[in-house]
Amino acid sequence: METTLRGVGVSHGVAIGEVRHMGTAVLEPPAKQIPADEAEREQGRARQAVEAVAADLIARGNLAGGEAQHVLEAQAMMAQDPELIADVERRIAVGSTAERGVYDAFAAYRALLANAGEYLAGRVADLDDVRNRIVARLLGVPMPGVPDSDEPYVLIARDLAPADTALLDPTLVLGFVTEEGGPTSHSAILARALGVPAVVALPGAGEIAEGTVVAVDGSTGEIFVEPSQEKRAEMESASAARKAALSAVTGPGATSDGHKVPLLANVGGPGDVPAALEAGAEGVGLFRTEFLFLDDSKQAPSEEKQIAAYRAVLEAFPEGRVVVRVLDAGADKPLDFLTPADEPNPALGVRGLRSLLDHPDVLRTQLTALSRAVEGLPVYLEVMAPMVADRADAKAFADACREAGLQAKFGAMVEIPSAALRARSILQEVEFLSLGTNDLAQYTFAADRQVGAVSRLQDPWQPALLDLVALSADAARAEGKSCGVCGEAASDPLLACVLTGLGVTSLSMGAASIPYVRATLAKHTLAQCERAASAARAADSADEARTAAQAVLSGE
């Protein structure tokens, strides 16, 4: 009998197939004591296992490429964290086996993060995966992972670690569903990059029996268990129609009456450029430069290394617009040479621009590298600062850009409610705004962007969040300047229409979402988008906002 479940849709598309479950987690190692004379040998085993797992993660990243590579390299750094390794060795020194020392050290760190409510708690799934891989290697057992299957299937898991998501084979994994996670988790981001339909934050998904046929709608978040033939035909027909619509619309982003809405790509480095070009991106709306810095947490990359990476992206978009975000370190992206190690809540501490202003030499080197990288190229470079709180922040950043001799537009990200509320003041110092809706939602609703339990508050359809977008767009319009969106909100085709109606002037997203957004915008006039935006803001919940906008755009 057909039943319907609803989670959070995080990657567009429809998948229909039999369920396969992720392998079970590594068993807890026995808590047995070892003689003191075996401690040094066990410590050696632990170090070897850590290095082997880190090397494997890096190798997987090299195979995956693009944004997945950066995520996996960051996870490898987590495995090699000096404090964690020191804790493991301390536990072994007082009698633990290598595997038990690893298990307990990671458990302590996990509990510390979760109980403190830190932003890093959003990486608990990544931490668990690293622990499981090290313990499995020490126990000599296979690492649980994506099941072997000769036939395509829908994967269900409690959560998916980046190492598993990055190497999913889209020809076999039709889509995936997780019980935990959020719309901006690593797995959600990688799913969109792969173009695999995905639904997260669906409690009870693990109870769906192996082999059960399910239909997954990655746009609505709906899961149909044992769908009827009518439902399957309806979803397949809608999917086919959507694909036809995607291929029929090409060229720059615009509404049906010709209002231009440039569609840009979010990239983490040169590896993400081919997919952006294939999707017809009109430029880059968010170049996340922190992945270049995460290659080595001990020191900043040299100016020459930065120039090479920046130029490789800039050269790919002649006559296009490339918006570079300077280093956004802190919170879930700590760097030993830049961020404090003892902050009680890094998400609310010294991160983003605050870190850079405390280390002006790092900012100066990056801005100088960008200035040199763009020399002689016919590209429109724009550079923006993350985590701008007020006009003083914006002025400090603009001054630093001018001092570095940077010939580009300077902008500010709107990720803190204060920046949206005082957007017109900030625009006295910079030339454009870019809304990071993921962090803006997190700070607006006091809801960790990686925690599935508060995912409803991370929904970009929340009317309060739309109000802040409108405030920012209105301020930019009044100042004759631009205001784009580079958060995950831009990847929702329906919401893209609403954002356009709110006055947003460009949309930047993962490359896989660009065709969906282009096709949807092309079906509606600017006036329809404006009416949909008004209807959404008049609602009292995210679901009501989505329904109201849909009704306007469908002519109901």
Side-chain angles (χ1 to χ4, degrees):
M1 180 178 178
E2 179 180 311
T3 56
T4 304
L5 306 173
R6 181 185 286 274
V8 178
V10 296
S11 185
H12 304 301
V14 169
I16 302 175
E18 293 187 0
V19 164
R20 295 287 183 273
H21 286 273
M22 197 75 161
T24 56
V26 173
L27 296 175
E28 180 178 346
K32 64 180 182 180
Q33 291 290 108
I34 60 169
D37 60 0
E38 293 184 15
E40 187 174 345
R41 179 178 65 84
E42 289 295 288
Q43 289 172 338
R45 288 182 63 228
R47 286 192 295 270
Q48 289 175 1
V50 165
E51 291 305 319
V53 166
D56 179 63
L57 290 168
I58 290 171
R60 286 169 176 259
N62 290 336
L63 283 173
E67 189 160 3
Q69 181 174 2
H70 303 306
V71 171
L72 291 173
E73 287 174 349
Q75 201 178 12
M77 287 171 52
M78 184 183 288
Q80 297 169 305
D81 183 277
E83 291 188 15
L84 266 174
I85 294 172
D87 190 20
V88 170
E89 294 190 343
R90 281 194 296 268
R91 293 171 186 274
I92 294 172
V94 295
S96 288
T97 61
E99 47 267 40
R100 187 71 204 192
V102 168
Y103 187 90
D104 289 342
F106 273 75
Y109 189 43
R110 186 187 200 279
L112 177 67
L113 296 181
N115 292 337
E118 296 181 0
Y119 188 60
L120 275 171
R123 294 296 177 250
V124 162
D126 300 18
L127 188 69
D128 287 348
D129 182 59
V130 170
R131 177 204 64 201
N132 289 348
R133 290 176 186 278
I134 297 171
V135 171
R137 183 170 288 274
L138 287 165
L139 290 174
V141 300
M143 176 62 205
V146 178
D148 290 330
S149 176
D150 295 329
E151 298 296 326
Y153 59 91
V154 173
L155 180 63
I156 291 184
R158 182 180 63 81
D159 204 348
L160 279 173
D164 295 312
T165 314
L167 297 182
L168 290 178
D169 182 350
T171 63
L172 286 176
V173 181
L174 302 171
F176 67 76
V177 181
T178 64
E179 294 191 68
E180 299 180 2
T184 55
S185 66
H186 274 156
S187 291
I189 292 170
L190 293 177
R192 286 188 284 271
L194 287 167
V196 176
V199 173
V200 302
L202 181 65
E207 298 173 10
I208 302 175
E210 185 92 0
T212 303
V213 175
V214 297
V216 178
D217 190 325
S219 299
T220 66
E222 291 176 305
I223 308 294
F224 301 95
V225 181
E226 298 288 9
S228 64
Q229 288 300 320
E230 291 77 11
K231 173 59 69 176
R232 294 176 66 163
E234 174 190 327
M235 294 183 71
E236 288 170 348
S237 175
S239 179
R242 185 180 298 168
K243 289 179 180 178
L246 293 181
S247 60
V249 181
T250 58
T255 59
S256 62
D257 55 341
H259 175 73
K260 293 182 179 179
V261 187
L263 303 181
L264 312 170
N266 295 341
V267 305
D272 293 329
V273 167
L277 293 172
E278 185 178 351
E282 297 168 58
V284 173
L286 173 61
F287 182 176
R288 301 184 181 95
T289 61
E290 59 269 20
F291 291 122
L292 180 63
F293 288 75
L294 288 169
D295 285 347
D296 183 355
S297 68
K298 305 297 183 185
Q299 61 184 3
S302 68
E303 185 176 316
E304 294 303 322
K305 182 176 180 180
Q306 292 189 53
I307 291 170
Y310 303 151
R311 196 169 179 90
V313 174
L314 293 167
E315 287 176 335
F317 295 94
E319 305 298 334
R321 175 187 178 200
V322 175
V323 184
V324 177
R325 180 175 70 190
V326 294
L327 176 60
D328 184 16
D332 66 329
K333 293 165 287 192
L335 294 171
D336 294 346
F337 66 88
L338 196 68
T339 50
D342 55 353
E343 284 190 298
N345 191 338
L348 301 179
V350 183
R351 64 167 294 198
L353 180 61
R354 299 168 187 174
S355 293
L356 292 174
L357 294 179
D358 280 352
H359 297 79
D361 54 323
V362 176
L363 177 58
R364 188 182 308 112
T365 298
Q366 184 170 24
L367 294 175
T368 302
L370 284 165
S371 180
R372 290 180 58 194
V374 77
E375 288 177 356
L377 295 180
V379 64
Y380 298 96
L381 175 64
E382 302 185 8
V383 182
M384 62 185 181
M387 302 304 294
V388 170
D390 56 16
R391 181 172 179 174
D393 277 352
K395 183 179 187 305
F397 177 65
D399 286 346
C401 289
R402 282 187 283 267
E403 288 170 10
L406 186 60
Q407 299 299 309
K409 285 188 176 182
F410 318 141
M413 291 199 69
V414 177
E415 301 165 282
I416 305 172
S418 64
L421 294 168
R422 301 290 295 172
R424 195 159 184 180
S425 172
I426 287 171
L427 283 166
Q428 303 311 303
E429 305 293 343
V430 295
E431 299 173 78
F432 69 93
L433 300 176
S434 183
L435 288 142
T437 52
N438 302 342
D439 269 322
L440 186 57
Q442 171 176 245
Y443 292 124
T444 299
F445 297 102
D448 191 313
R449 56 186 277 190
Q450 301 296 331
V451 176
V454 293
S455 60
R456 78 171 185 86
L457 296 173
Q458 270 294 325
D459 192 326
W461 282 94
Q462 286 284 356
L465 188 65
L466 298 180
D467 288 343
L468 293 175
V469 173
L471 279 173
S472 303
D474 288 346
R477 184 186 301 111
E479 294 296 326
K481 297 180 178 180
S482 63
C483 177
V485 168
C486 64
E488 293 302 318
S491 65
D492 179 335
L494 184 63
L495 186 51
C497 293
V498 168
L499 295 173
T500 298
L502 291 174
V504 166
T505 55
S506 65
L507 299 167
S508 188
M509 64 209 77
S513 299
I514 291 175
Y516 292 91
V517 173
R518 180 190 291 118
T520 304
L521 277 174
K523 293 192 297 185
H524 304 291
T525 65
L526 176 59
Q528 286 177 308
C529 293
E530 291 172 339
R531 289 197 297 272
S534 295
R537 289 183 67 191
D540 291 318
S541 71
D543 286 343
E544 289 177 9
R546 186 182 291 105
T547 299
Q550 178 68 66
V552 171
L553 294 175
S554 62
E556 295 177 7

